[in-house]
Amino acid sequence: MAVFKSIRVILIIFIIAVGCSESAMDEKEARKVLQNFYNDREPEPISDYYLLKAGKPIVPYLIVEIQKKDMPRRRYAIGALGKIGDKRALPMLINILEDRSELIYFRADALESIWHIDRKIGEEYARKYQREGKEIDRIIEFLRKGMI
């Protein structure tokens, strides 16, 4: 009897955890958030509002979107991933940083987001890509000084 009670307690905890999971966002909700982001005409400093408001549940969808080099407002999406701080974004951000065919400012934005998600990993990549370009060097300087 005690075994069944333990299983039931574990099952209830599992159901609550899944129901409250930070990754719980269906595709329809994500599309709405992304549509609001794409159509938003707010001034630049708050242009990532919808993504930040959605938080960690939007991360898997942003990871897919930022792979598209022609994504509208891509810089803000890359930056939002750093502000949200979800480590699931690191592999894609590292891909952007390491891809020399990417525009330098996307690579710099990716480095900044990596730094904000995991400073140790960010510093490793900062050392690796220092002197890669003025934009990246400027970002590294600001990150190390705590200015951004």
Side-chain angles (χ1 to χ4, degrees), residues 64-128:
V64 171
E65 289 295 303
I66 66 169
Q67 293 178 52
K68 304 170 187 170
K69 291 185 178 187
D70 62 343
M71 174 192 182
R73 307 176 76 169
R74 188 174 183 225
R75 292 190 75 184
Y76 301 109
I78 291 169
L81 287 169
K83 291 175 186 174
I84 293 169
D86 192 319
K87 289 186 181 224
R88 294 176 294 175
L90 285 173
M92 180 49 56
L93 292 168
I94 291 168
N95 285 344
I96 292 170
L97 175 60
E98 291 184 328
D99 182 352
R100 286 190 164 83
S101 72
E102 287 279 2
L103 295 173
I104 194 74
Y105 54 85
F106 288 129
R107 295 177 66 212
D109 293 341
L111 176 59
E112 181 179 347
S113 287
I114 292 165
W115 182 286
H116 288 300
I117 293 169
D118 188 314
R119 185 174 178 162
K120 183 179 175 186
I121 294 172
E123 181 58 41
E124 289 173 24
Y125 281 99
R127 282 193 303 271
K128 181 176 180 178

Side-chain angles (χ1 to χ4, degrees), residues 9-140:
V9 169
I10 291 170
L11 185 59
I12 290 170
I13 291 170
F14 176 76
I15 291 169
I16 290 170
V18 169
C20 298
S21 170
E22 289 181 322
S23 63
M25 178 180 280
D26 66 25
E27 190 172 341
K28 184 177 179 182
E29 291 173 297
R31 273 192 255 222
K32 184 176 180 185
V33 169
L34 290 170
Q35 182 178 3
N36 287 337
F37 169 67
Y38 289 140
N39 294 328
D40 186 24
R41 298 295 171 234
E42 294 296 328
E44 286 188 23
I46 58 171
S47 62
D48 55 5
Y49 168 80
Y50 291 102
L51 303 179
L52 297 178
K53 185 177 174 189
K56 288 188 178 189
I58 196 67
V59 169
Y61 301 97
L62 283 180
I63 291 169
V64 171
E65 289 295 303
I66 66 169
Q67 293 178 52
K68 304 170 187 170
K69 291 185 178 187
D70 62 343
M71 174 192 182
R73 307 176 76 169
R74 188 174 183 225
R75 292 190 75 184
Y76 301 109
I78 291 169
L81 287 169
K83 291 175 186 174
I84 293 169
D86 192 319
K87 289 186 181 224
R88 294 176 294 175
L90 285 173
M92 180 49 56
L93 292 168
I94 291 168
N95 285 344
I96 292 170
L97 175 60
E98 291 184 328
D99 182 352
R100 286 190 164 83
S101 72
E102 287 279 2
L103 295 173
I104 194 74
Y105 54 85
F106 288 129
R107 295 177 66 212
D109 293 341
L111 176 59
E112 181 179 347
S113 287
I114 292 165
W115 182 286
H116 288 300
I117 293 169
D118 188 314
R119 185 174 178 162
K120 183 179 175 186
I121 294 172
E123 181 58 41
E124 289 173 24
Y125 281 99
R127 282 193 303 271
K128 181 176 180 178
Y129 289 100
Q130 197 162 7
R131 291 182 278 293
E132 183 92 5
K134 289 179 184 177
E135 185 74 15
I136 290 179
D137 288 347
R138 186 177 62 81
I139 291 296
I140 292 169

